[in-house]
């Protein structure tokens, strides 16, 4: 059981690190590309390719969260840190149904007014960086938990 728990702990860190890397890639490569595109060209691009980004990214957050919950349940040490990891990942994931599903749908279905695209992309990026912050916080707490740093 200890071996399985250790493997899950490492998987939380590895999967979350990959998630963070992918989110940073989106923030520093894709979003600037989108912002430099003419609004209608961006909407056309997003209509064609946006679902591919979602299909790659969507499993990461729940995957990290599920592994963190399982690890928290199985761990006898540093439960507070694992609980914080769970809270940070929940905060990260709440953005998706509340903001990203409706906004990305408006891009993909081109129901957003073309004159609002630029401002919406700025909001999209700001919230995306907030999600990155929460994922990094979850990564830090999970690393601290694995390295046996405890909080009182």
């Amino acid at each position: 059981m200890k071996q399985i728990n250790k493997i899950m702990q490492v998987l939380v860190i590895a999967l979350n690190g990959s998630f963070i890397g992918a989110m940073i890639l989106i923030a520093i490569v894709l979003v600037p590309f989108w912002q430099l595109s003419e609004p209608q060209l961006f909407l056309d691009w997003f209509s064609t390719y946006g679902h591919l980004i979602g299909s790659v990214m969507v499993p990461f957050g729940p995957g990290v969260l599920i592994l963190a919950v399982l690890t928290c349940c199985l761990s006898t040490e540093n439960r507070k840190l694992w609980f914080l990891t769970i809270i940070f990942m929940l905060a990260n994931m709440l953005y998706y149904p509340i903001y990203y599903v409706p906004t990305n749908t408006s891009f993909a279905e081109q129901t957003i007014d073309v004159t609002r695209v630029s401002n919406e992309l700025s909001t999209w990026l700001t919230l995306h960086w907030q999600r990155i912050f929460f994922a990094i916080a979850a990564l830090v707490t999970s690393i601290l938990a694995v390295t046996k740093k405890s909080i009182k």
Side-chain angles (χ1 to χ4, degrees):
M1 189 58 104
K2 258 187 174 177
Q3 189 102 11
I4 292 171
N5 189 29
K6 191 55 88 175
I7 290 168
M8 286 194 325
Q9 291 175 1
V10 171
L11 284 174
V12 169
I13 292 168
L15 188 60
N16 196 18
S18 299
F19 185 41
I20 292 165
M23 286 193 299
I24 290 172
L25 181 70
I26 289 169
I28 64 174
V29 175
L30 280 180
V31 176
F33 164 70
W34 296 341
Q35 290 174 319
L36 290 173
S37 300
E38 291 296 321
Q40 188 57 56
L41 289 176
F42 159 72
L43 293 174
D44 292 341
W45 184 97
F46 203 91
S47 293
T48 303
Y49 302 108
H51 71 283
L52 297 174
I53 298 166
S55 65
V56 170
M57 292 299 294
V58 169
F60 278 105
V64 173
L65 181 63
I66 291 165
L67 286 171
V69 168
L70 290 172
T71 299
C72 185
C73 291
L74 293 175
S75 291
T76 56
E77 299 176 335
N78 293 321
R79 280 210 171 128
K80 288 180 185 176
L81 287 166
W82 286 113
F83 186 69
L84 281 173
T85 300
I86 292 165
I87 297 298
F88 288 134
M89 284 311 298
L90 280 172
N92 172 293
M93 289 179 53
L94 283 175
Y95 284 79
Y96 186 73
I98 293 170
Y99 176 77
Y100 287 98
V101 168
T103 302
N104 291 353
T105 299
S106 77
F107 292 157
E109 295 177 358
Q110 299 192 22
T111 56
I112 185 172
D113 186 317
V114 175
T115 62
R116 291 187 39 233
V117 168
S118 179
N119 286 338
E120 199 60 55
L121 281 173
S122 293
T123 301
W124 197 104
L125 182 59
T126 298
L127 296 177
H128 189 71
W129 280 111
Q130 290 173 15
R131 288 187 73 196
I132 292 169
F133 168 80
F134 284 119
I136 290 171
L139 181 64
V140 169
T141 56
S142 62
I143 290 171
L144 290 173
V146 169
T147 59
K148 307 295 188 227
K149 306 294 182 202
S150 63
I151 60 172
K152 307 294 185 228

